[in-house]
Amino acid sequence: SGAPRFDHDPATGESLGLLIEESRTNDVPYSQDLQGLTASAVSRSYNSALSPDGSFTATKLVENAGNSRHYLRGGGAQASNTRSVYAKAGERRRIFLADSNVSWATFDLITGTIVASANCTPSISSAGNGWYRCSIFHTSFNGNCWWGLNTDSGISYESYQGDGASGAYFWGAQTEVGSFPTSYIPTSGSTVTRA
């Protein structure tokens, strides 16, 4: 506390200078392991991989064997119009962020690209070691965020036949009020505001 924060390029480690940001609140109560979010056709395997901050706290989201959408839901009110998460490919290389059937984007975690989107402004950036920070922004979301899996050829957040074993890694979920994602604000049971 009280010390200046420096930003760094995740690929090279090169300093980008002082990190000066506005105040924001992360509305996801368990941002690292995504506890407290409602699961739909997925299970969570906690502490499954090294996360972007160097701790062994990433959660693997694993699809069940049903033919449905495979996702977690929750973590933010309508006012929180920017949603982001760090994700890394497992057996599944594509994930999606969505807003209750209205706004969505699909991301490819191998190529680091946005596959498709609707009614939002998506972004993806490398966080190093195969991790990407994926985000969507919309001026007014209609409900909770969906954080989900897709097939390797999936375009949107459609249903598909799961195999009961495949998944991808998630960490650092964040919902906040603003038109872009700010640096990660860790939470562990309640919302947290960065001054």
Side-chain angles (χ1 to χ4, degrees):
S1 176
R5 296 187 303 157
F6 288 88
D7 200 9
H8 294 83
D9 184 318
T12 66
E14 181 180 347
S15 176
L16 300 175
L18 282 173
L19 178 60
I20 301 172
E21 298 182 291
E22 61 200 74
S23 176
R24 291 281 183 94
T25 299
N26 185 356
D27 292 321
V28 180
Y30 292 94
S31 62
Q32 288 191 359
D33 57 16
L34 289 83
Q35 290 184 50
L37 302 178
T38 302
S40 179
V42 292
S43 62
R44 284 166 278 212
S45 178
Y46 300 113
N47 304 320
S48 293
L50 197 66
S51 64
D53 73 348
S55 62
F56 203 78
T57 54
T59 294
K60 186 176 185 183
L61 202 60
V62 180
E63 65 195 36
N64 71 9
N67 187 2
S68 61
R69 294 174 177 158
H70 304 268
Y71 63 95
L72 298 175
R73 181 182 76 249
Q78 181 173 344
S80 299
N81 54 3
T82 291
R83 286 92 187 276
S84 60
V85 71
Y86 291 87
K88 183 176 182 176
E91 296 81 14
R92 295 294 180 208
R93 63 185 288 169
R94 289 187 179 182
I95 64 145
F96 70 85
L97 299 181
D99 168 47
S100 304
N101 297 323
V102 177
S103 306
W104 58 269
T106 300
F107 305 90
D108 190 304
L109 302 176
I110 298 296
T111 61
T113 57
I114 299 161
V115 176
S117 66
N119 303 316
C120 68
T121 303
S123 69
I124 185 169
S125 59
S126 173
N129 196 31
W131 285 95
Y132 290 91
R133 192 177 195 194
C134 306
S135 72
I136 56 175
F137 161 74
H138 189 271
T139 53
S140 181
F141 282 125
N142 291 325
N144 287 320
C145 189
W146 294 6
W147 329 78
L149 301 168
N150 216 326
T151 63
D152 288 354
S153 59
I155 300 300
S156 67
Y157 52 93
E158 68 265 15
S159 296
Y160 68 90
Q161 183 66 52
D163 62 14
S166 295
Y169 300 95
F170 289 76
W171 181 86
Q174 186 157 307
T175 64
E176 56 192 306
V177 177
S179 60
F180 58 90
T182 60
S183 64
Y184 173 54
I185 303 168
T187 64
S188 57
S190 63
T191 64
V192 172
T193 299
R194 180 188 57 240

